[in-house]
Amino acid sequence: MRRIILSIDEPISKEKLVEMEDGLAAVKVGWPLILSIGVDGVNKLLTGLGLKKIFDLKLADIDNTMNLIVEKLKPMADAFIAHSFIGVRGSLGSLNLQGRELYLVLSMSHPGWNESFYPYLREVAMEVNPEGLVAPATRPSVIRKVREDFPTKVVISPGVGAQGAEPGDAICSGADYEIMGRAIYLSERPVEKLREITKKMEDRLYECKRAKDRPR
Ligand code: BMP
């Protein structure tokens, strides 16, 4: 079962990453890694990996600026994450991803996020029609709402481990993949940790499936 997206926010050895490859659905990289090891370093780390590469720069600008960023990073990227609050005209509506996938942030995992933005962000996402959406594992009710509003979209969910959600919680609420960073890469043995988390997730998914299947 490959339902974990590894968020590589601090440098990790390529050797370890290759060892984890079979247990991952994708990797997510963004500013922290780019600023630590540079664009060439990221390129070297990701080259040859048979995993989807999601670039999480939280694009949030006018179209021209975002398109310049995409142009630089597209050789390495399969997908980009953008904020949805920036709106459509002159921004998301003319974002040119040149065949890469788009994931829009609909809600965030930290305590200070204001959920009252949701109706507007949903409207933007409906108009832009991205491949996927980002919604927080720390708020299962939001994931349920996103799944209801966007039944066919890929929902990826951060907030597991270091931010408090348990592996499997978000998927049980309707997400497709869970994003994890520190819980794995800060571990002394990340490869073993990934296995341990995957097992926990499988147990949780088994339980929630049983709960869903149970006659009422
Ligand atoms: P960690 O598992 O170490 O908390 O990392 C979570 C990752 O997901 C970080 O890269 C963070 O920027 C990102 N993220 C998040 O934590 N909450 C959100 O709402 C959206 C994110 O992209």
Side-chain angles (χ1 to χ4, degrees):
M1 191 190 54
R2 294 173 19 144
R3 300 277 212 135
I4 296 175
I5 297 173
L6 177 65
S7 183
I8 316 173
D9 294 321
E10 291 190 38
I12 185 170
S13 78
K14 181 142 189 172
E15 200 186 4
K16 288 257 173 313
L17 199 51
V18 168
E19 274 187 78
M20 284 192 267
E21 201 176 329
D22 281 351
L24 295 172
V27 289
K28 179 176 94 60
V29 300
W31 292 119
L33 192 70
I34 294 171
L35 294 171
S36 294
I37 64 173
V39 172
D40 289 346
V42 172
N43 195 17
K44 276 193 197 123
L45 185 68
L46 300 185
T47 298
L49 277 188
L51 291 169
K52 181 183 278 195
K53 291 133 192 151
I54 303 174
F55 272 67
D56 178 12
L57 304 166
K58 299 285 185 324
L59 297 171
D61 217 314
I62 61 162
D63 51 7
N64 184 62
T65 306
M66 297 194 291
N67 288 340
L68 289 171
I69 295 170
V70 167
E71 187 59 36
K72 295 277 180 224
L73 295 175
K74 69 166 195 220
M76 286 182 267
D78 298 304
F80 286 88
I81 295 180
H83 270 297
S84 43
F85 67 76
I86 54 180
V88 182
R89 286 181 56 214
S91 189
L92 290 169
S94 34
L95 173 60
N96 181 4
L97 288 177
Q98 309 190 44
R100 274 61 181 175
E101 291 181 345
L102 176 64
Y103 288 79
L104 284 182
V105 177
L106 273 188
S107 171
M108 292 192 72
S109 59
H110 59 294
W113 179 258
N114 184 340
E115 213 55 67
S116 67
F117 302 145
Y118 183 75
Y120 171 65
L121 303 185
R122 176 180 57 192
E123 194 184 303
V124 171
M126 294 230 165
E127 192 171 342
V128 173
N129 194 24
E131 277 75 21
L133 302 160
V134 182
T138 46
R139 277 196 286 280
S141 61
V142 174
I143 297 184
R144 285 195 287 274
K145 178 89 185 98
V146 169
R147 177 48 73 213
E148 206 181 294
D149 291 342
F150 297 91
T152 61
K153 294 291 174 206
V154 177
V155 176
I156 63 176
S157 188
V160 186
Q163 297 179 55
E166 293 291 331
D169 281 354
I171 294 176
C172 285
S173 301
D176 296 291
Y177 300 97
E178 295 186 3
I179 298 170
M180 285 173 227
R182 287 166 289 178
I184 296 171
Y185 68 69
L186 288 185
S187 158
E188 271 179 21
R189 296 169 184 274
V191 182
E192 288 77 5
K193 191 73 185 174
L194 173 62
R195 271 191 222 119
E196 189 190 305
I197 290 175
T198 303
K199 171 78 178 73
K200 260 195 180 174
M201 182 185 271
E202 281 168 354
D203 291 348
R204 174 82 178 91
L205 297 190
Y206 179 71
E207 275 310 310
C208 77
K209 187 173 180 318
R210 260 179 27 144
K212 274 185 197 143
D213 292 347
R214 207 172 286 141
R216 275 152 237 259

